[in-house]
Structures are given as C-alpha cells and as structure tokens.
Amino acid sequence: MVYFVGAGPGAEDLITVRGARLLKKADMVIYAGSLVNPELLKETREDCEIYNSAGMTLEEVIQVMVRGETEGKIIVRLHTGDPCVYGAIREQMDSLEQKGIAWEICPGVSSFCGAAAALNMEYTLPGVSQSVVLTRMAGRTPVPDRESIASFAAHKAAMVIFLSAGMMEELSHELMRGGYDPDTPAAIVYKATWPDEKRILCTVGTLAGKAREQGIAKTALVIVGDSVRQADYDRSNLYDPGFTTEYRRGRE
Ligand code: SAH
C-alpha cells in the first residue's frame, strides 16, 4: 500500500495527525527532499528505508514502490505542502494503477495556507475578493495560454503565485500588463513556517526589487491583491447580529 502524504509547508508540527501516524508506521519513505523538512524523518522507525526523490526519476520512484509492495511494506510518499498542488502525483497514481498497487492520499497544509498565516491575512475578504487564484509563471513546465498571469490579474482576485521566485521581473510585468496598478499590495513569503521564514510586504511594482534586495530566488510564494493589506472590507454576514442562519436567530 502506498500513502501519498502531505508533509505541510515546513514546520515539522504542521503535518496532520494522520500523516504523522503513517510516517511512524512506514516501512519505506520516499520524500521530496528539495522542500520537505528532513526533521519529519525523525518520526520514522529505525529500520525504515528512506529515499530522497530529489535525485530520482518517476521510473525510479515507481521501481522502489513496486519492490516495497512485493515485500509487503507500508510505503509513504511524502510530498511538500498538500500533494494535490504541483505534486506530480497523478503520474505516480496512474503508474501504480497499471501495476495493480493500491494507494491513498493523506492531505496536508499547503504552503499558500502557511504563507497566509505568516502574513496574518485572510484571502477571501467580503467586499474585496471572494476567490483565490493559485497559479505559476510558465517555466520549463509550460502554462496553457488561456491561464496567463495577465488574464488572471484582470479579475483582481487574491492571487498566489507558486514556483516563480526566480522570475520576479517578468511576474511583476505580467501582473501590471493584466491590469494591476503598480501600487497594488503584494507580499513575498520565503520558506513559510520554517525557522528561517521571511515575509516581505511590497507592491506589484516593487516585487522584483524587494526579492533581489533580500536574495530570494526560490522557495517563495508571491501573494497579490488588496486582501494582503486591506483595511476597507465588509463585515461578514455570518457573524452579523442581525443575520439569521440555520444555527442562530438574528436580532430584529
Ligand atoms: N505541494 C506544495 C507546492 C509544491 S510546488 C504545496 O502545497 O505547497 C513548490 C513551490 O511551492 C515552491 O517553488 C514555492 O513557490 C512553494 N512553496 C513550497 N513550500 C513553501 C514554503 N514553505 N514557503 C513558501 N513557498 C513554498
């Protein structure tokens, strides 16, 4: 059995209780070494076989899983954040399916949630934005044209940009091309929830300069939109004294 487990954004106590239990039980762990906190591996049994997938191909990962399965092992595939966001798990699940190996996914705290916590912010402020766009700049992995940064920017919704810390200049340009004012609030969160986390408040126009100043070129998220620093939002209806819900009668 293979368990795809979300390791959380960095801090070792931000894995789920279920994820931690699976790690403790595992006979074999294949972890994404470029971003998963190695401290998490201390939770594994002494005889647990550990592989760092950073230097492995998909075929090699699957090969290890197939051997583990043949030996009747409990296998944990440990991905950073939540495996469903840029986790490349579909191709692994499809290969396992072909080989008749069962799997299950255990979710994790994605870095975009860790970054919001670091910034003390809420993405979905009433009257400001009720949507969150999770996206990236095209890199070696292409992004379909219809999902360009500029086209999403036109919505002025809260936006979280993954995998693009090395392309801040182009990112800033694309955001402005899409219609964001250069003064629109933005933030860079480097290694959210890790001990060396950095939070930088800036604007769409100053993104690249700030990243350069701080030497940030990887393991960072860019968050854009008025939700980053908005004083002028509406109160929620849900907690308004005059609002009746299924659970609470509103005052007249
Ligand atoms: N599955 C992961 C994302 C993997 S893609 C998740 O749910 O978070 C890798 C990218 O995620 C990095 O390039 C960076 O943009 C972002 N990332 C991952 N961990 C991060 C962290 N702790 N702080 C900031 N960005 C992070």
Side-chain angles (χ1 to χ4, degrees):
M1 181 81 181
V2 175
Y3 295 92
F4 292 95
V5 175
E12 62 202 85
D13 55 352
L14 281 177
I15 189 169
T16 63
V17 173
R18 185 187 296 180
R21 281 188 189 138
L22 287 168
L23 264 187
K24 276 204 177 78
K25 267 201 334 200
D27 302 299
M28 184 183 257
V29 173
I30 309 167
Y31 73 105
S34 55
L35 281 168
V36 167
N37 189 341
E39 293 290 311
L40 280 167
L41 302 173
K42 287 191 184 150
E43 298 299 312
T44 56
R45 289 204 326 258
E46 217 160 87
D47 60 344
C48 178
E49 275 179 59
I50 300 199
Y51 296 85
N52 179 353
S53 64
M56 295 164 80
T57 62
L58 169 65
E59 286 70 16
E60 287 165 345
V61 168
I62 299 297
Q63 208 176 13
V64 169
M65 287 174 172
V66 168
R67 184 177 50 76
E69 176 74 10
T70 320
E71 293 167 3
K73 295 192 158 142
I74 297 174
I75 305 160
V76 166
R77 175 69 170 112
L78 193 58
H79 282 278
T80 179
D82 186 288
C84 78
V85 187
Y86 303 115
I89 56 168
R90 181 79 268 162
E91 59 192 24
Q92 298 176 67
M93 296 188 296
D94 286 345
S95 295
L96 293 177
E97 176 87 45
Q98 270 173 16
K99 298 186 186 312
I101 298 175
W103 78 85
E104 205 175 284
I105 302 176
C106 169
V109 177
S110 178
S111 59
F112 84 92
C113 302
L119 294 169
N120 297 318
M121 69 167 282
E122 176 178 351
Y123 291 115
T124 51
L125 286 176
V128 178
S129 178
Q130 288 293 287
S131 313
V132 188
V133 176
L134 305 183
T135 188
R136 60 170 297 169
M137 290 279 285
R140 276 182 292 183
T141 303
V143 171
D145 286 343
R146 60 181 185 276
E147 297 178 20
S148 69
I149 294 277
S151 68
F152 285 134
H155 293 277
K156 308 266 170 79
M159 210 162 156
V160 183
I161 301 125
F162 286 74
L163 294 158
S164 306
M167 291 175 266
M168 293 293 201
E169 212 62 77
E170 297 107 293
L171 173 60
S172 168
H173 179 262
E174 283 301 292
L175 288 165
M176 291 189 281
R177 191 169 71 83
Y180 269 125
D181 193 87
D183 292 334
T184 307
I188 304 168
V189 184
Y190 170 77
K191 292 189 87 175
T193 81
W194 287 74
D196 49 346
E197 168 187 285
K198 279 188 195 163
R199 295 160 296 206
I200 299 151
L201 288 176
C202 55
T203 64
V204 164
T206 61
L207 263 178
K210 291 279 182 189
R212 209 176 316 115
E213 225 172 83
Q214 299 282 331
I216 295 172
K218 60 177 214 175
T219 328
L221 288 174
V222 173
I223 295 151
V224 178
D226 285 328
S227 309
V228 173
R229 228 184 308 161
Q230 179 74 358
D232 193 16
Y233 61 90
D234 300 332
R235 265 190 66 149
S236 67
N237 282 330
L238 187 62
Y239 297 107
D240 187 301
F243 196 72
T244 296
T245 72
E246 197 185 336
Y247 303 99
R248 180 172 64 78
R249 174 136 211 90
R251 271 186 246 128
E252 294 301 311

